[in-house]
Amino acid sequence: MSTFTVSAGLATYTGFRAAPQRATARSVAVPKAGGRVAFVTQANKKVAKKANVVLTQSVDKLGAQGDLVEVSVGFFRNHLEPMGKAKKATSEVMAEVEAQAASEVAAKQAESAGARAIATALKTIGKFVVKKTVGEDGKIFGSVTAGDVADAVEQQTGKALEKKAITVPEITAVGIYDVTVKLHPSVVGEFKVEVQKA
């Protein structure tokens, strides 16, 4: 059994052949001769093809962790979300990302402040002594390496410096030399090394 009704200016048809009406489209049934009905459907809005997401991991050619990016809905649904690489950009997720970014900035500032404190301590102490075996002509046997300087600093201050970060000039004789150490990408410590006869 099928019925045809008109209400509020819209004609609707319910029966075996009627398609369900959706909220995003408006269907109008128009009766034709012979008892048949033709359906005319009008779409009201387009389906979203892009989605704003927040990356939970760095993704090549897309962005770094915590970035807000616009990707296709299919890419998000089929790849990023199942792999745990992204979340939908909601207010809760954005607040979480902002809090994480703030904590990372605070940690970087604390690391930089610690490096500046070590640089100040090295400059305040000023001179570290390295003892080497010296020949009759005043030249040392071997050379003074970054490891020797790091050991001297650790013995006198208790602070261990990374050997790779220390820059030592070529030292061939007894004397006082300038040495630099890279404590942080933005902080370089400077101090003097005195080479003495052992």
Side-chain angles (χ1 to χ4, degrees):
M1 177 177 172
S2 62
T3 60
F4 180 75
T5 59
V6 176
S7 62
L10 292 177
T12 59
Y13 173 78
T14 57
F16 294 114
R17 292 186 177 194
Q21 292 187 358
R22 293 183 177 91
T24 59
R26 187 176 83 195
S27 298
V28 177
V30 180
K32 287 188 171 184
R36 293 178 147 175
V37 176
F39 284 101
V40 177
T41 304
Q42 297 174 345
N44 291 334
K45 69 177 189 178
K46 292 183 178 180
V47 177
K49 295 182 181 179
K50 297 281 185 179
N52 288 329
V53 299
V54 176
L55 298 177
T56 56
Q57 299 174 9
S58 293
V59 179
D60 290 341
K61 300 179 184 175
L62 192 58
Q65 180 179 358
D67 286 352
L68 176 67
V69 294
E70 186 175 338
V71 296
S72 69
V73 174
F75 182 57
F76 171 70
R77 185 179 58 238
N78 297 326
H79 179 71
L80 295 176
E81 189 175 31
M83 301 283 272
K85 294 183 178 182
K87 293 180 183 176
K88 279 256 191 204
T90 62
S91 59
E92 295 86 22
V93 171
M94 293 302 294
E96 181 182 319
V97 167
E98 288 173 4
Q100 184 178 6
S103 67
E104 287 176 3
V105 167
K108 285 181 182 179
Q109 288 177 345
E111 183 180 337
S112 177
R116 281 195 295 276
I118 292 172
T120 303
L122 290 174
K123 194 167 203 146
T124 303
I125 294 171
K127 186 169 50 171
F128 298 94
V129 177
V130 175
K131 298 198 177 210
K132 285 290 194 178
T133 306
V134 179
E136 293 177 7
D137 56 353
K139 295 197 176 200
I140 61 172
F141 292 116
S143 63
V144 176
T145 64
D148 296 333
V149 174
D151 291 341
V153 170
E154 189 171 2
Q155 285 176 358
Q156 293 179 24
T157 64
K159 294 277 186 189
L161 297 179
E162 192 175 329
K163 295 175 187 176
K164 294 178 185 177
I166 298 174
T167 305
V168 180
E170 187 176 334
I171 299 174
T172 57
V174 174
I176 298 175
Y177 300 90
D178 290 326
V179 176
T180 59
V181 59
K182 190 167 189 172
L183 300 166
H184 187 267
S186 62
V187 179
V188 176
E190 298 176 352
F191 56 93
K192 296 190 181 300
V193 170
E194 182 177 0
V195 181
Q196 294 180 348
K197 183 178 182 179

